[in-house]
Amino acid sequence: MWIEQERPRPRRTSPSQPRRAVKAVRRSSKGDATRGRILDAAMAVVADEGYHAATHQRIAQAAGLVRTAINYHFPDQNSLADALVGHLHRLKAERMMAVMGGSLEDHPALAIEAYWALLQETPFVALAELECCARTDVGLRARLAAAGGQPDRAEAGATALHRSPILGPGLYGLSLCLLEGMARGGARHAEARRLLDLLKPAAQVLD
């Protein structure tokens, strides 16, 4: 005897949540992750090997990606440089606020020493390399100036650390500038230690 089976009903898709939209969100999330991976690799190459070594091919090797993936997100060197400058400024601001924000007012001497430690981290080393290259690279100099001219809230707070009068008029800002110069000049920790030993007593007196 023939028994007609009920055909399965097609699944209904809500008009407000089409499948293509879900796939687009997933694809966008994956793209953002790849983009971040590329920028982190570019940052490491700049810090370790220099700005001019950060070609698409070298960054692809460092990121473990094919070169076409780099070209997809950053078609040329200018677009990559723009994104990298913004990436470094954000990382610098976040690290400064996380490490120094709470210790600035309570322990200024420790804040000075913490800043020297920050200068050894990859985002700070890479940014210092870009600033050095910007002396002879007009395009790079313009990018750095543009990124520094429109800081977000985190970066504005980090910039305020340089202007703090807690160690006396200009002493705190001068201390940070001295440490930055020593870091860019390749000073060893023992050499920076002498400067730190001179600055910390002043900080304790004015604390």
Side-chain angles (χ1 to χ4, degrees):
M1 182 178 180
W2 178 262
I3 300 178
E4 184 178 359
Q5 298 182 353
E6 184 179 359
R7 296 181 179 178
R9 296 180 180 179
R11 296 179 61 182
R12 295 182 179 179
T13 302
S14 174
S16 61
Q17 295 181 347
R19 292 186 180 182
R20 291 183 179 179
V22 174
K23 290 182 179 179
V25 170
R26 291 176 180 174
R27 188 177 295 112
S28 176
S29 177
K30 184 178 180 180
D32 291 342
T34 302
R35 181 183 175 88
R37 182 176 170 184
I38 293 170
L39 292 176
D40 285 340
M43 174 179 66
V45 172
V46 169
D48 295 339
E49 305 173 29
Y51 173 63
H52 296 292
T55 62
H56 278 48
Q57 182 62 35
R58 181 65 191 92
I59 294 171
Q61 293 174 352
L65 298 169
V66 295
R67 182 171 177 174
T68 53
I70 312 292
N71 295 336
Y72 175 79
H73 290 278
F74 305 103
D76 51 46
Q77 199 72 11
N78 289 333
S79 60
L80 177 58
D82 288 336
L84 179 59
V85 168
H87 186 60
L88 291 176
H89 271 276
R90 284 191 297 273
L91 290 178
K92 176 183 177 180
E94 290 170 2
R95 291 294 296 140
M96 286 188 68
M97 292 302 296
V99 174
M100 299 181 64
S103 62
L104 175 60
E105 296 183 0
D106 298 332
H107 306 285
L110 295 180
I112 292 176
E113 190 159 3
Y115 188 63
W116 172 253
L118 281 175
L119 290 172
Q120 317 308 312
E121 294 188 5
T122 303
F124 290 79
V125 175
L127 193 53
E129 165 66 13
L130 294 184
E131 290 171 351
C132 288
C133 293
R135 295 184 211 171
T136 56
D137 189 322
V138 177
L140 183 57
R141 184 161 63 247
R143 290 185 180 90
L144 289 170
Q150 297 178 343
D152 55 17
R153 289 182 61 187
E155 190 167 350
T159 303
L161 296 176
H162 291 74
R163 301 174 182 172
S164 173
I166 195 163
L167 299 185
L171 178 57
Y172 187 82
L174 176 61
S175 301
L176 300 189
C177 289
L178 288 172
L179 291 177
E180 288 175 358
M182 295 184 72
R184 292 175 186 176
R188 294 173 296 180
H189 182 72
E191 296 170 339
R193 182 82 266 156
R194 298 191 186 97
L195 177 60
L196 293 173
D197 290 341
L198 291 174
L199 294 174
K200 289 172 70 174
Q204 292 170 357
V205 170
L206 295 170
D207 189 0

